Amino acid sequence: MKNDWEPKIVAFLCHWCSYAGADLAGISRIQYPPNIRVIRVPCSGAVNPLYILKALREGADGVLVSGCHPGDCHYLSGNYFARRKFFVLHQLLQWLGIEENRVQFSWVSASEGQKFSQVVEETVEKVKKLGPAQKLVKEFTFHV
Amino acid sequence: MSKGLVTKEKWWKWLEDKKDRLFLSERAQKRYGSWFPPEVKVVKNGKEILLPSGEEMYRYFWAGEEWKVEEGEVNTAPLFFFSLPCEARAIIEITDKVFLHEPIDKNYRQRRKSLSLGILACLQPEPTCFCSLVGGGPFWKNEEALFLVPRKEDIYVEGEGELLSYSEEGGEKVKQEIQTLQKEVESGLPSPLPSYFSQELYQHFEDEEWDDISWHCMNCGACTFLCPTCYCFDLSIEGRLKGFQLRSWDSCMFPKFTLHASFHNPRPTGKERVRQRVMHKFSYFPEREGNFACVGCGVCVEKCPVNWDIREAIERMVEKIDRLRA
Amino acid sequence: MFEKEIRRKAKELLEAKTVDLVIGYTSGSLPFQARPILVSSPEDVGKLVWNHFARSNLARYLLPYRDSSKKIALLAKGCDARAVAVLLQEEQFPRERIHIIGLPCPGVISRRKLEEKLGEIKEEDFSWEENSFLFQGEKWEVRPFLEDTCARCRYPNPPLYDELIGEEKEPWRDGSVDYLKELDNQSREERWQFFAAELSRCIRCYACRNACPLCYCKECFAESDSPRWVNGVPTLSDNLFFHLGRSMHLAGRCVECGACERACPEEIKIGLLPLKVEEIVRENFSFEAGLSLEEEAPLLTYKESDPGEFIK
Ligand code: SF4
Ligand code: SF4
Ligand code: SF4
Ligand code: SF4
Ligand code: SF4
């Protein structure tokens, strides 16, 4: 691994909380690592597990999914449903032998600009420790 | 063409410089594995070499103002593929006819040009085998391929080329032995389908038997993907501003195989798809090319998760056709 | 093994026009196989068989009749009946058009295991009982020959039926054979090596999916063009994508029948993934699919107390 390797991390942020939190971090000029590529989604409950797998397939070194805190969902309970779904996915990926921190989850509210920056820092740090993703990345070596 | 016996030592000597270019079919390996070095690459059938399940047709990229296209390079190192007669026949009498007749498939042709075939006689037909029903046989041979009958201490060989120069004249006795062996093996196998079958089968396209015949098939891709003669493929693009065109296997068993852009699907249910599989192999292809597109290897019968047996479909239609002719 | 009763029942139902069709098993063209069959006339009930080789989950054969008006009798092992229950709950079939003939399941036997332990086998060398069999006069217990998927079965008895033929059975499961547990005891990297080796053999024929009674989507994500999740080449990465995606779609719905695994022509241990997902669901959300028609599917509901420590 080259020393200057920087992980690419796809972040699915819910529109109402985490995306707004990221926005706040930006407006407040709170620094966070530039490794994340944000995809705004209406709700963490709208994040299909396939999106996560797809991000890894297309070469993301890590995935972050972030939504409103439990009880604060703009759609009342989207994040509760999300929590169950991601819990299963998280456990399954680990059992399969995928590194625990390839896919990470957080709750960040619209007022938590500071927390958002911390979450991103932590996420990047953990993915850096893992090194570049290899396990679910699409292969390009076909017969020619 | 010449014939002769090659001793074990000479056989191994001949193989010596070919070790890393040797392919052996899985089914041939089960029977003749000990005649090949551990380096031999075991493949399911010839498709794995000639029609890989994924291949790049060309690469492309957006060069700022225009699209650039680069064609894929095909590996042309000479290779040897040893297989059972049915599997060799699948190449010579089916996929070659598809990909080497106009319009010629460049990639296939290049791979095929560098592939030499060796046919290992089939001495233990399996309960699923029916090569003789469809024009082949356990001793089927072809002038372009080596034909080999491994024996206890030597191999009986027919063909051309270097290996034959290692062989010794076997004499009348060996000839007799091989012939007896052939008779013995062939005796347990079915007799060929009537010559009118492929033409008449098509007359029964609309028959209601197909409902019943197809009922328990799940329309998966197991039979077609594992069949040595099924050659259908799909083309797709992988990438965006930079990527390649990908050829991958497709199967007439899948609903999307015939889905039109309008969302009309001429083969909407399993019945049409199963019928297509049978018709293509036993009517359309033979009407066009002169032989069935099934070599009777029985792999599809053995591997089908629900024991859908193509022999039963054929038997049923033969019976019906004969009943109507009588 | 209750074959006579099954035939008698099928005949009775067809003659009385209680049902139009019976879906069951018949003997196939190869030994040690029982294949699905549709019986529509009372004269054909003699074709029905019932033995240790009923590998398929017959519930998958119901769905083509969803939009018809046919009334169907389905022979159902424990797991087939559980699959029917999920289909009913998901409103994929009306209860009044299905007549479930429940069959306590004697366990599906693996032909490969028979061959491994007994050498060359011929059908005529066997005589079968519920829990044991005679092979060339010698008595053997059924248990060590069960398919891996069946050795861990907890519900051989149909939880839902219109009538039951045979006697309720004790589950086979005694913990001695559990291929999930074997993997649990390995390290993460060992498991990865195992799955990487298994799934690189996958040819993406989709037999597993098509055999699954609960994979009934008209268009599966694996074959969707827009969006396109995977390509058609069976590379390890896309095989994993397909099987992970499929397992997630089965979360809280999979009835642990193992039909997917038994259908695989490459003998890949593919049931492990959905079965693991069911274990996760069972242990954390106390839910098992297909046991009741009332309880809500676990991913369609939530509790405030659900595990959440994995979220920052
Ligand atoms: S015949 Fe068998 S292998 Fe072929 S599609 Fe039907 S179920 Fe699958
Ligand atoms: S259709 Fe079946 S028997 Fe015929 S060539 Fe293909 S796999 Fe072999
Ligand atoms: S049945 Fe087996 S080979 Fe086919 S897609 Fe499923 S796991 Fe892969
Ligand atoms: S995923 Fe496999 S075990 Fe689960 S219901 Fe489907 S076929 Fe049965
Ligand atoms: S894998 Fe998912 S999308 Fe595909 S058929 Fe099964 S449930 Fe449907």
Side-chain angles (χ1 to χ4, degrees):
Chain A
M1 199 201 318
K2 278 197 293 187
N3 281 340
D4 56 2
W5 170 73
E6 285 291 335
K8 276 198 238 52
I9 293 169
V10 172
F12 295 98
L13 308 182
C14 85
H15 171 79
W16 302 99
C17 294
S18 297
Y19 190 82
D23 221 18
L24 181 65
I27 296 167
S28 330
R29 312 221 168 254
I30 304 171
Q31 294 283 328
Y32 60 84
N35 304 60
I36 63 165
R37 313 285 188 274
V38 174
I39 297 177
R40 184 172 58 159
V41 290
C43 173
S44 55
V47 177
N48 186 329
L50 296 181
Y51 298 174
I52 298 173
L53 296 174
K54 182 73 168 173
L56 293 171
R57 179 188 189 267
E58 302 302 323
D61 297 300
V63 175
L64 171 68
V65 183
S66 190
C68 313
H69 285 274
D72 289 345
C73 175
H74 181 79
Y75 306 100
L76 305 177
S77 53
N79 53 0
Y80 281 124
F81 290 103
R83 186 167 65 179
R84 280 208 159 184
K85 196 159 57 185
F86 296 145
F87 177 78
V88 176
L89 179 70
H90 188 71
Q91 297 263 314
L92 176 64
L93 288 177
Q94 281 192 61
W95 190 68
L96 191 83
I98 308 297
E99 307 88 343
E100 185 176 352
N101 291 323
R102 273 297 164 217
V103 183
Q104 301 181 40
F105 304 88
S106 66
W107 304 134
V108 173
S109 78
S111 60
E112 294 176 319
Q114 194 63 47
K115 176 168 181 193
F116 182 78
S117 116
Q118 269 167 20
V119 163
V120 174
E121 244 166 59
E122 220 181 292
T123 307
V124 173
E125 208 38 55
K126 284 181 176 165
V127 173
K128 271 191 177 163
K129 272 206 197 108
L130 298 176
Q134 267 156 2
K135 286 182 176 166
L136 295 171
V137 186
K138 131 183 94 179
E139 286 138 274
F140 267 111
T141 44
F142 299 114
H143 298 72
V144 272
Chain B
M1 193 202 55
S2 38
K3 318 171 176 195
L5 286 178
V6 176
T7 61
K8 251 189 188 158
E9 295 87 68
K10 291 208 171 132
W11 164 254
W12 284 102
K13 197 163 156 239
W14 180 72
L15 282 181
E16 192 55 47
D17 64 337
K18 304 178 178 61
K19 278 185 179 156
D20 50 342
R21 295 174 288 136
L22 275 185
F23 290 80
L24 181 64
S25 84
E26 215 172 79
R27 295 175 70 217
Q29 190 221 13
K30 281 205 189 108
R31 304 166 188 207
Y32 299 118
S34 63
W35 288 90
F36 293 87
E39 294 89 338
V40 70
K41 288 185 204 68
V42 179
V43 291
K44 290 210 172 70
N45 54 45
K47 273 198 323 197
E48 234 172 276
I49 308 166
L50 292 166
L51 282 171
S53 56
E55 73 180 302
E56 279 177 34
M57 305 305 281
Y58 59 79
R59 281 171 182 269
Y60 69 87
F61 57 95
W62 178 244
E65 310 225 298
E66 52 169 354
W67 293 102
K68 287 258 165 67
V69 172
E70 288 168 1
E71 290 203 31
E73 281 291 307
V74 172
N75 180 3
T76 49
L79 305 173
F80 293 82
F81 176 45
F82 289 88
S83 71
L84 299 180
C86 48
E87 296 164 317
R89 211 177 148 234
I91 297 174
I92 296 169
E93 296 210 325
I94 289 107
T95 53
D96 277 1
K97 290 186 179 175
V98 176
F99 292 96
L100 300 181
H101 289 181
E102 288 296 339
I104 292 170
D105 188 273
K106 224 187 74 212
N107 290 12
Y108 183 95
R109 182 180 59 190
Q110 249 162 284
R111 292 197 190 96
R112 184 64 177 91
K113 264 203 298 207
S114 48
L115 189 69
S116 312
L117 301 177
I119 302 177
L120 294 153
C122 169
L123 304 181
Q124 302 123 345
E126 289 155 31
T128 43
C129 290
F130 59 102
C131 51
S132 54
L133 184 81
V134 286
F139 277 64
W140 184 84
K141 47 195 102 160
N142 182 279
E143 67 257 13
E144 79 147 277
L146 287 170
F147 177 74
L148 312 144
V149 188
R151 299 157 24 117
K152 270 207 186 75
E153 291 307 323
D154 53 23
I155 303 186
Y156 170 80
V157 192
E158 284 183 24
E160 311 276 353
E162 194 200 334
L163 181 61
L164 271 295
S165 65
Y166 288 109
S167 73
E168 286 148 31
E169 180 61 45
E172 199 51 30
K173 187 168 160 265
V174 175
K175 207 177 126 196
Q176 284 295 330
E177 277 172 19
I178 297 291
Q179 273 176 3
T180 321
L181 192 60
Q182 175 168 359
K183 275 222 188 76
E184 227 176 82
V185 179
E186 282 174 354
S187 67
L189 289 162
S191 36
L193 281 171
S195 56
Y196 48 80
F197 184 67
S198 56
Q199 207 186 356
E200 298 234 345
L201 179 61
Y202 186 61
Q203 310 306 316
H204 299 280
F205 187 88
E206 304 281 359
D207 291 9
E208 57 180 35
E209 267 88 350
W210 295 109
D211 282 315
D212 200 28
I213 289 177
S214 64
W215 183 80
H216 72 287
C217 167
M218 312 190 292
N219 289 139
C220 66
C223 53
T224 49
F225 284 179
L226 296 169
C227 171
T229 75
C230 278
Y231 53 77
C232 289
F233 58 79
D234 190 20
L235 292 171
S236 57
I237 295 287
E238 183 72 49
R240 283 169 168 245
L241 291 178
K242 184 178 109 195
F244 51 86
Q245 192 193 42
L246 188 61
R247 169 151 79 185
S248 54
W249 289 351
D250 204 346
S251 167
C252 57
M253 291 292 120
F254 295 162
K256 287 195 123 186
F257 190 74
T258 45
L259 186 65
H260 293 183
S262 65
F263 284 97
H264 169 64
N265 194 340
R267 295 185 206 140
T269 71
K271 168 182 148 185
E272 294 84 11
R273 293 176 217 141
V274 169
R275 179 177 62 196
Q276 161 64 20
R277 178 162 163 252
V278 176
M279 282 287 178
H280 180 218
K281 288 179 185 297
F282 288 88
S283 184
Y284 314 149
F285 191 90
E287 285 301 291
R288 205 168 55 229
E289 303 285 358
N291 57 271
F292 295 115
C294 163
V295 292
C297 67
V299 166
C300 57
V301 181
E302 194 198 313
K303 297 285 187 172
C304 174
V306 294
N307 183 224
W308 192 89
D309 191 330
I310 197 162
R311 295 173 300 182
E312 294 172 331
I314 300 305
E315 230 167 78
R316 204 157 151 182
M317 294 322 274
V318 170
E319 262 168 35
K320 181 166 187 187
I321 287 168
D322 284 350
R323 202 167 55 236
L324 290 172
R325 283 171 72 96
Chain C
M1 286 195 317
F2 303 105
E3 225 160 60
K4 269 204 201 107
E5 285 88 329
I6 292 169
R7 290 174 184 169
R8 181 153 15 90
K9 188 78 239 168
K11 192 162 182 209
E12 183 190 310
L13 290 169
L14 286 167
E15 273 172 353
K17 305 246 184 303
T18 316
V19 301
D20 305 300
L21 305 165
V22 177
I23 295 177
Y25 299 96
T26 190
S27 40
S29 69
L30 298 176
F32 309 104
Q33 287 244 23
R35 68 159 71 133
I37 186 179
L38 180 73
V39 178
S40 52
S41 133
E43 286 110 67
D44 288 339
V45 296
K47 292 181 182 164
L48 291 168
V49 302
W50 173 235
N51 55 37
H52 282 288
F53 299 97
R55 310 162 62 82
S56 311
N57 188 322
L58 293 182
R60 79 162 301 286
Y61 287 94
L62 270 183
L63 293 175
Y65 299 98
R66 181 173 65 181
D67 302 322
S68 75
S69 55
K70 299 273 189 243
K71 255 201 106 182
I72 296 174
L74 188 86
L75 297 189
K77 310 187 284 291
C79 51
D80 302 37
R82 282 178 74 190
V84 173
V86 178
L87 291 174
L88 292 174
Q89 224 188 351
E90 294 180 355
E91 296 180 16
Q92 293 303 314
F93 213 86
R95 181 69 182 92
E96 34 331 325
R97 283 207 286 115
I98 171 158
H99 184 95
I100 304 169
I101 304 176
L103 301 169
C105 178
V108 177
I109 284 184
S110 149
R111 182 186 175 167
R112 191 179 44 75
K113 288 189 187 173
L114 286 176
E115 277 167 351
E116 272 169 18
K117 297 201 172 85
L118 305 176
E120 210 182 310
I121 50 171
K122 290 208 196 76
E123 224 164 25
E124 53 274 23
D125 292 338
F126 288 85
S127 96
W128 299 99
E129 295 291 329
E130 286 263 314
N131 299 331
S132 63
F133 60 87
L134 292 178
F135 172 67
Q136 296 175 342
E138 197 182 340
K139 189 170 167 171
W140 294 81
E141 288 296 306
V142 156
R143 190 192 301 265
F145 297 94
L146 290 179
E147 291 275 359
D148 289 347
T149 52
C150 298
R152 59 190 306 285
C153 172
R154 278 167 300 117
Y155 299 99
N157 304 311
L160 176 74
Y161 53 81
D162 293 292
E163 57 203 300
L164 195 70
I165 297 184
E167 280 146 41
E168 299 228 346
K169 287 183 62 77
E170 285 296 310
W172 284 113
R173 184 185 178 80
D174 67 350
S176 63
V177 204
D178 190 336
Y179 66 152
L180 267 188
K181 285 278 157 307
E182 275 168 37
L183 275 163
D184 285 343
N185 295 334
Q186 295 182 0
S187 74
R188 187 179 299 194
E189 196 50 34
E190 278 171 338
R191 278 198 301 269
W192 168 256
Q193 293 302 338
F194 169 80
F195 280 112
E198 282 290 282
L199 290 185
S200 36
R201 297 195 293 118
C202 169
I203 57 171
R204 214 100 65 66
C205 67
Y206 302 125
C208 46
R209 179 196 69 192
N210 291 13
C212 173
L214 300 162
C215 266
Y216 52 72
C217 302
K218 266 221 165 105
E219 188 190 50
C220 175
F221 78 93
E223 289 171 295
S224 143
D225 288 312
S226 164
R228 205 146 145 272
W229 304 99
V230 291
N231 63 41
V233 189
T235 50
L236 175 60
S237 60
D238 281 4
N239 294 347
L240 276 162
F241 196 116
F242 165 58
H243 290 295
L244 283 170
R246 192 177 97 81
S247 306
M248 286 305 294
H249 286 180
L250 270 304
R253 305 173 58 236
C254 165
V255 293
E256 305 172 276
C257 64
C260 46
E261 182 165 308
R262 295 191 299 273
C264 178
E266 299 294 285
E267 298 191 34
I268 294 167
K269 294 273 145 215
I270 202 57
L272 282 166
L273 293 177
L275 293 182
K276 183 66 190 180
V277 167
E278 282 325 282
E279 192 181 273
I280 296 168
V281 166
R282 179 170 70 243
E283 284 173 1
N284 294 283
F285 310 131
S286 330
F287 180 89
E288 291 178 276
L291 295 183
S292 109
L293 292 178
E294 282 80 42
E295 209 176 332
E296 206 163 7
L299 292 197
L300 297 182
T301 182
Y302 64 88
K303 279 202 185 112
E304 287 183 15
S305 59
D306 282 341
E309 303 75 41
F310 68 105
I311 306 177
K312 282 190 272 254

